[in-house]
Amino acid sequence: MTHNPLPHEAPWWRHAVIYQVYPRSFADQDGDGVGDLPGITSRLPYLAELGVDAIWISPFYRSPMADAGYDVADYRDIDPLFGDLSDADALIARAHELGVRVVIDLVPNHTSDQHAWFQAALAAGPGSPERERYVFRPGRGDGTEPPNNWESVFGGGAWTRVTEPDGTPGQWYLHLFDDTQPDLNWDNPEVVEEFQDVLRFWLDRGVDGFRVDVAHALIKDPELPDWHGRAVMANGGDGETAHTHLGPMWDQEGVHEIYRGWRRLLDSYNPTGDPAQDRILCAEAWLPTQERTMRYTRADEMHQAFNFHFLQSPWRVDDVTEVVEASLVAAEAVGAPTTWVLSNHDVVRHASRLGLPVGTPRPNGIGALEPQPNAVLGLRRARAATTLMLALPGSAYLYNGEELGLPEHTALPDAVRQDPAFHRTAGEETGRDGCRVPMPWTAAAPSFGFGPGKESWLPQPDLYGVFAVDRQQGVDGSTLELYRTLLRVRRQHDLGVGGLEWLDLGPEVLAFRNARGDGTPVTVITNFGEEPVALPEGTSVLVCSGRLHEGMLGQDTTVWLS
């Protein structure tokens, strides 16, 4: 099948490459071992030089940090760990000076248990308007059993019983994640209006959009029926796609009306309809099919939705070809771009994940890597996968450190792990800390240049020195220089808005042409097989994920040809 290119005036978000900054782990300015907003601002020139169009910053709001900031206590303030509102304003202004847009994280499914609303709900008691902002219910039977059998994504039950103001055991509240993250009641108009106001607060400060955390979870089946599935978020490997059997807490129809309201609000900030001024919404939604995911990107809803089917695809030619084709078909059906992604703060880094034998079972995205990945194989495949991804039409997200080829930290001591999934499962799931270890900037510096101090909030492995920015900058063939070249050539050839025509170059080869109607086509070839592949005659190499051997493309290598 052939997929047609977009018009020249396509909005920026349809083809943007957006770089995820995990603020704890990007750059530490004040020396406390934790990344901060001034640290991010100081490194913005690096990101502009890398060639990204925008950054997405994971939560920086005021928070007790029970789940690394995804437990928000105040959506209109910055946690002192990261700085203050003036630091946020300075970051946004500096990014815009450098031509980099800023997308921030929004966590609408739940708040922190330290949020003023939840504290008021505890103090007010059953039946109060304050409790109606959350999902409180009486227990079953004599009240000692939870309202239903739902499990938390992080392990254990999804309900916690509170002590009432008079000191007696009382109602239960729902938390699909940690017990410090009570779920909001999105059937309550007060909740709807509150988040409209939060959006306005940040739009008025100049942000260019929002990545929406667990966007498919806001509305629950009002009957709260028992469900015998596991509320997993991701499997991170070759296993069954997350939420294959959707439960009554996921993807309920009412979420779409919420996002239609948000879209109207964002569109009101661009009254002239100038595509360059669009503010955007991106959905994090782990769903069983491409079609269900892309419903979130219909014309009056969100602009983007992460393509986790691509992220989870096994490294086999048939699987990757199938998921790319299905992705483009599902996106075209609703007139949206496909939003490609290979790594983020919730899954094993793809430089390690792809180093596992194809077919290794991964029951969820927050468990240990067994067996240990082959580092050389993983990096070779990761470079090939990224080179393939950035040649595809649509938008793409990168995760901080992947441009260095960073592997997962697989040997973190249990004593330093912070992910609530590790603690709620008594270590049965090792959690996501391994993909969140701070960036190495300077090989010979304390904490590899992450900050002025010797320590970082998660310890960096010794091998990170080899991957440091200063060891790769300007070095021909380094992963950092590969990413810079990919982003430059992608932009030069308009690959994000190009059309795609499949080519048949053999059973172990994925190949296609990407071109605008008026431009020179770029031929993209990925060799999955053991046998080298000859490059088509009359072509010249634009960029290659690895070395060519006498003009032949080796296994697990991707090349762009003109």
Side-chain angles (χ1 to χ4, degrees):
M1 180 178 289
T2 298
H3 302 272
N4 294 322
L6 292 173
H8 275 290
E9 64 274 11
W12 67 270
W13 46 269
R14 297 192 71 104
H15 54 85
V17 176
I18 301 177
Y19 183 102
Q20 180 187 357
V21 172
Y22 194 68
R24 282 175 161 240
S25 299
F26 192 63
D28 170 24
Q29 184 88 333
D30 62 13
D32 64 356
V34 181
D36 45 44
L37 297 188
I40 297 170
T41 303
S42 72
R43 297 293 188 177
L44 285 173
Y46 164 83
L47 296 174
E49 185 179 347
L50 182 63
V52 299
D53 300 290
I55 58 172
W56 150 38
I57 309 174
S58 294
F60 47 45
Y61 309 107
R62 189 174 289 272
S63 166
M65 300 293 162
D67 184 23
Y70 282 92
D71 50 319
V72 180
D74 187 343
Y75 291 89
R76 298 175 182 83
D77 199 6
I78 304 297
D79 195 90
L81 190 68
F82 302 127
D84 57 30
L85 282 170
S86 68
D87 293 318
D89 293 339
L91 189 160
I92 294 166
R94 179 61 175 144
H96 288 167
E97 286 175 5
L98 293 168
V100 176
R101 292 179 168 88
V102 178
V103 175
I104 66 172
D105 224 308
L106 190 65
V107 188
N109 179 69
H110 47 264
T111 70
S112 166
D113 61 353
Q114 300 304 305
H115 191 285
W117 273 15
F118 192 73
Q119 291 298 305
L122 294 179
S128 63
E130 289 83 358
R131 289 219 174 164
E132 286 302 310
R133 297 165 173 163
Y134 293 90
V135 185
F136 277 90
R137 294 291 185 276
R140 289 198 275 202
D142 61 358
T144 60
E145 296 295 321
N148 64 29
N149 70 343
W150 292 3
E151 291 186 13
S152 161
V153 170
F154 291 159
W159 295 89
T160 291
R161 197 176 192 188
V162 303
T163 299
E164 298 299 352
D166 63 4
T168 61
Q171 289 186 310
W172 298 71
Y173 67 89
L174 177 67
H175 51 88
L176 290 183
F177 295 88
D178 193 57
D179 57 3
T180 64
Q181 296 168 292
D183 279 42
L184 287 160
N185 172 20
W186 274 90
D187 293 319
N188 185 335
E190 192 176 357
V191 174
V192 175
E193 176 52 39
E194 169 67 4
F195 275 84
Q196 290 262 343
D197 192 68
V198 168
L199 290 169
R200 284 190 288 267
F201 178 87
W202 289 104
L203 290 167
D204 289 343
R205 298 192 97 90
V207 303
D208 299 284
F210 303 87
R211 175 266 190 188
V212 183
D213 187 59
V214 286
H216 57 311
L218 277 58
I219 299 294
K220 284 77 175 176
D221 184 323
E223 300 298 321
L224 299 178
D226 277 355
W227 183 60
H228 296 282
R230 168 77 194 280
V232 298
M233 279 297 295
N235 66 21
D238 295 346
E240 188 176 53
T241 301
H243 300 340
T244 299
H245 307 291
L246 282 175
M249 68 290 290
W250 306 122
D251 197 33
Q252 303 295 301
E253 196 61 31
V255 299
H256 297 286
E257 188 55 39
I258 295 168
Y259 300 135
R260 290 185 186 103
W262 290 11
R263 178 63 178 264
R264 289 192 293 272
L265 175 61
L266 265 65
D267 286 350
S268 73
Y269 278 76
N270 184 13
T272 65
D274 178 1
Q277 303 302 316
D278 282 349
R279 316 284 187 100
I280 71 164
L281 297 166
C282 179
E284 183 212 22
W286 296 88
L287 294 167
T289 66
Q290 303 269 19
E291 290 73 21
R292 296 297 300 183
T293 303
M294 296 311 293
R295 293 176 78 238
Y296 288 76
T297 62
R298 289 175 290 193
D300 59 348
E301 294 188 46
M302 296 200 181
H303 303 76
Q304 302 173 333
F306 290 123
N307 189 341
F308 294 128
H309 300 270
F310 179 74
L311 180 152
Q312 293 177 310
S313 176
W315 186 248
R316 291 185 291 244
V317 62
D318 291 342
D319 294 275
V320 177
T321 303
E322 181 181 349
V323 77
V324 169
E325 175 63 20
S327 300
L328 295 173
V329 169
E332 288 169 355
V334 295
T338 298
T339 303
W340 311 100
V341 61
L342 283 166
S343 282
N344 64 33
H345 66 291
D346 281 331
V347 300
V348 173
R349 286 185 174 275
H350 68 285
S352 292
R353 191 175 71 242
L354 295 177
L356 295 170
V358 175
T360 301
R362 294 273 296 125
N364 56 63
I366 51 181
L369 279 172
E370 295 291 348
Q372 286 293 299
N374 180 320
V376 174
L377 176 64
L379 181 56
R380 184 168 74 243
R381 287 177 172 173
R383 288 166 57 108
T386 299
T387 304
L388 168 62
M389 177 182 80
L390 291 175
L392 293 166
S395 57
Y397 279 73
L398 310 176
Y399 178 47
N400 61 207
E402 74 165 81
E403 78 278 12
L404 306 178
L406 286 188
E408 189 86 356
H409 190 348
T410 60
L412 280 169
D414 289 352
V416 304
R417 293 189 180 276
Q418 299 193 25
D419 192 339
F422 174 79
H423 298 287
R424 288 181 63 87
T425 63
E428 185 177 326
E429 292 178 355
T430 53
R432 301 160 293 177
D433 295 311
C435 67
R436 301 175 174 183
V437 175
M439 284 267 290
W441 293 90
T442 308
S447 68
F448 297 125
F450 168 64
K454 294 181 179 180
E455 305 296 331
S456 56
W457 73 280
L458 285 174
Q460 300 155 302
D462 291 341
L463 63 84
Y464 267 28
V466 176
F467 295 92
V469 171
D470 73 328
R471 288 285 183 91
Q472 299 196 46
Q473 200 155 339
V475 176
D476 185 42
S478 71
T479 303
L480 175 58
E481 293 303 329
L482 171 65
Y483 270 69
R484 286 176 171 170
T485 303
L486 290 170
L487 294 176
R488 175 175 51 80
V489 177
R490 172 188 166 92
R491 180 172 289 167
Q492 287 172 347
H493 289 267
D494 287 332
L495 298 183
V497 291
L500 186 146
E501 176 190 359
W502 290 107
L503 304 174
D504 183 3
L505 297 183
E508 292 297 320
V509 178
L510 183 156
F512 59 87
R513 288 194 189 95
N514 182 337
R516 300 193 57 82
D518 54 358
T520 302
V522 173
T523 299
V524 180
I525 305 172
T526 302
N527 181 15
F528 288 82
E530 295 180 4
E531 294 298 319
V533 173
L535 303 184
E537 292 185 8
T539 59
S540 59
V541 175
L542 293 170
V543 59
C544 187
S545 68
R547 295 187 182 278
L548 297 171
H549 301 281
E550 298 180 353
M552 304 289 282
L553 187 68
Q555 187 174 20
D556 298 324
T557 310
T558 301
V559 67
W560 297 0
L561 304 168
S562 174

